[in-house]
Amino acid sequence: MKPIDLKSLTEEIQHFVDERDWEQFHSLKNLAIALSVESSELLEIFQWMREGDSNHLQLDEKVREKIEDEVADVFIYLLRIVSKTQIDLESSVRKKMDKNVRKYPVELARGNSKKYTEL
């Protein structure tokens, strides 16, 4: 995976929003709802698909394009939320990963899909 220039992407998205005067609609509540909707649209692609088929979608260009579009929409709304709340995304992810390391110790979680409360 190549590095992402989050600053540039965030600025480009903000410019897009500003040009259309959409900031007025981008409350955190609305952005969180939009993020959920776009995540659901991503999920819809897989809804009735057999488990094994979902791992071979890179071979189907039309489906891959749909996935790319929905992933991009999810990421755009996530970046809008991060920008509006001034969250340090990298730091937040690293902190969450530290918590996950403690919640899911390798000796209990390896090869196991149970939630941490069940380990």
Side-chain angles (χ1 to χ4, degrees), residues 12-109:
E12 185 176 339
I13 294 164
Q14 186 65 53
H15 179 72
F16 178 88
V17 169
D18 290 344
E19 281 187 322
R20 288 153 182 80
D21 192 25
W22 286 354
E23 191 68 47
Q24 61 184 317
F25 309 117
H26 286 194
S27 66
L28 288 174
K29 174 192 75 76
N30 286 350
L31 291 170
I33 290 168
L35 175 63
S36 178
V37 169
E38 296 301 339
S39 295
S40 295
E41 289 178 9
L42 175 61
L43 185 58
E44 185 179 32
I45 296 167
F46 300 96
Q47 184 174 11
W48 302 113
M49 194 177 293
R50 291 188 305 240
E51 188 78 22
D53 293 343
S54 69
N55 291 322
H56 302 287
L57 293 179
Q58 68 275 18
L59 304 176
D60 184 331
E61 285 195 35
K62 287 182 182 179
V63 176
R64 181 182 170 86
E65 185 176 348
K66 288 179 186 178
I67 294 169
E68 286 179 359
D69 285 348
E70 298 310 332
V71 165
D73 285 340
V74 166
F75 196 62
I76 288 166
Y77 283 117
L78 181 61
L79 286 179
R80 290 289 294 139
I81 291 168
V82 166
S83 177
K84 288 184 74 75
T85 57
Q86 298 179 340
I87 289 173
D88 179 336
L89 185 58
E90 182 178 3
S91 175
S92 296
V93 169
R94 292 188 188 285
K95 284 180 194 174
K96 182 60 179 175
M97 288 306 299
D98 287 343
K99 289 178 185 178
N100 288 342
V101 164
R102 290 189 299 278
K103 283 183 183 179
Y104 296 96
V106 173
E107 60 276 4
L108 298 177

